[in-house]
């Protein structure tokens, strides 16, 4: 499933970002024509109210999309479009905002258009991203920062096997307000143990 696993990490061979087929959805590289769909759901206050996203114009989303594409080639991050398999339409993103080869960690982040909430889409995407990340020697830890109050996102991480490490007070200024964030993490050893347990049950 996770073809082309080698990370595009600076100093290593850069592989094409893989497309990962899942149940009803796929993770694929972001494209320029995704900007309108991305901007549309990032304009929904219910999607962004518990995230770090500022208000963004279409031009700013286009600039962010270009940056994400360049960052994969530079080996500093890897973000996928979450797209429906039937029409390949972007409905969310999931992946690693940044990673550190030197320290073996990556930061996971994701969001999803509101009409697609409650279908297990992001849980699938997170599991696939972890499989891709821990399929490379460079990753030992994946962490995620969740704004206090975003219980929906916390449940995604808990189901994926993440551990709640604590609260970072006044960690980020979001839309003019200083907000507290919880930090969650999963280590390679924990992910591998969880995966062995799932295989045993099957």
């Amino acid at each position: 499933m996770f073809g082309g696993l080698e990370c595009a990490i600076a100093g290593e061979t850069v592989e094409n970002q893989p497309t990962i087929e899942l149940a009803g959805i796929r993770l694929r590289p972001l494209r320029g024509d995704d900007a309108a769909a991305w901007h549309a759901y990032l304009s929904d206050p219910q999607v962004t109210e518990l995230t770090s996203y500022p208000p963004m114009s279409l031009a700013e989303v286009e600039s962010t999309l270009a940056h994400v594409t360049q960052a994969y080639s530079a080996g500093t991050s890897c973000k996928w479009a979450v797209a429906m398999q039937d029409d390949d339409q972007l409905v969310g993103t999931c992946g690693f905002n940044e990673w550190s080869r030197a320290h073996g960690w990556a930061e996971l982040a994701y969001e999803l258009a509101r009409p697609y909430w409650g279908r297990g889409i992001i849980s699938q995407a997170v599991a696939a991203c972890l499989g891709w990340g821990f399929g490379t020697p460079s990753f030992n830890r994946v962490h995620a920062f969740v704004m206090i109050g975003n219980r929906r996102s916390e449940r995604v991480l808990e189901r994926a096997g993440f551990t709640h490490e604590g609260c970072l007070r006044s960690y980020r200024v979001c839309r003019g307000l200083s907000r507290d964030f919880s930090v969650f993490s999963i280590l390679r050893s924990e992910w591998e143990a969880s995966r062995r347990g799932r295989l045993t049950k099957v």
Side-chain angles (χ1 to χ4, degrees):
M1 183 189 302
F2 303 108
L5 287 178
E6 187 172 3
C7 289
I9 296 176
E12 297 182 1
T13 301
V14 176
E15 300 287 341
N16 290 328
Q17 185 176 355
T19 294
I20 303 173
E21 299 291 342
L22 302 169
I25 64 169
R26 64 172 54 97
L27 303 185
R28 60 162 174 77
L30 283 156
R31 305 186 302 243
D33 60 2
D34 289 323
W38 202 6
H39 176 257
Y41 75 72
L42 289 181
S43 298
D44 181 349
Q46 291 189 53
V47 171
T48 58
E49 65 178 345
L50 296 177
T51 75
S52 301
Y53 279 106
M56 298 175 72
S57 67
L58 178 57
E60 288 170 327
V61 172
E62 290 171 340
S63 177
T64 298
L65 195 155
H67 172 75
V68 167
T69 303
Q70 293 164 1
Y72 178 81
S73 297
T76 56
S77 70
C78 180
K79 186 182 289 289
W80 280 272
V82 179
M84 305 307 293
Q85 284 180 335
D86 56 358
D87 61 7
D88 206 34
Q89 177 73 13
L90 177 139
V91 298
T93 72
C94 186
F96 304 111
N97 279 348
E98 57 180 327
W99 63 59
S100 168
R101 180 186 182 189
H103 300 290
W105 59 254
E107 179 193 343
L108 178 72
Y110 45 82
E111 83 283 329
L112 187 69
R114 187 155 45 100
Y116 299 89
W117 289 3
R119 301 189 191 184
I121 289 173
I122 285 297
S123 290
Q124 275 199 80
V126 165
C129 287
L130 292 178
W132 184 86
F134 286 128
T136 72
S138 301
F139 283 92
N140 184 56
R141 167 190 167 95
V142 173
H143 53 248
F145 302 105
V146 179
M147 187 183 293
I148 296 296
N150 192 346
R151 184 59 187 146
R152 184 184 297 274
S153 185
E154 291 176 349
R155 287 196 296 267
V156 168
L157 297 173
E158 290 164 356
R159 286 193 294 267
F162 281 70
T163 296
H164 179 221
E165 294 187 335
C167 175
L168 301 173
R169 297 179 299 166
S170 296
Y171 180 61
R172 288 175 178 167
V173 175
C174 304
R175 295 171 296 282
L177 297 175
S178 182
R179 303 300 298 263
D180 298 342
F181 278 71
S182 288
V183 57
F184 290 78
S185 71
I186 186 169
L187 304 182
R188 174 190 294 276
S189 59
E190 296 167 338
W191 177 82
E192 289 175 342
S194 174
R195 187 167 179 268
R196 284 196 299 270
R198 289 194 299 271
L199 292 174
T200 299
K201 290 177 182 178
V202 173

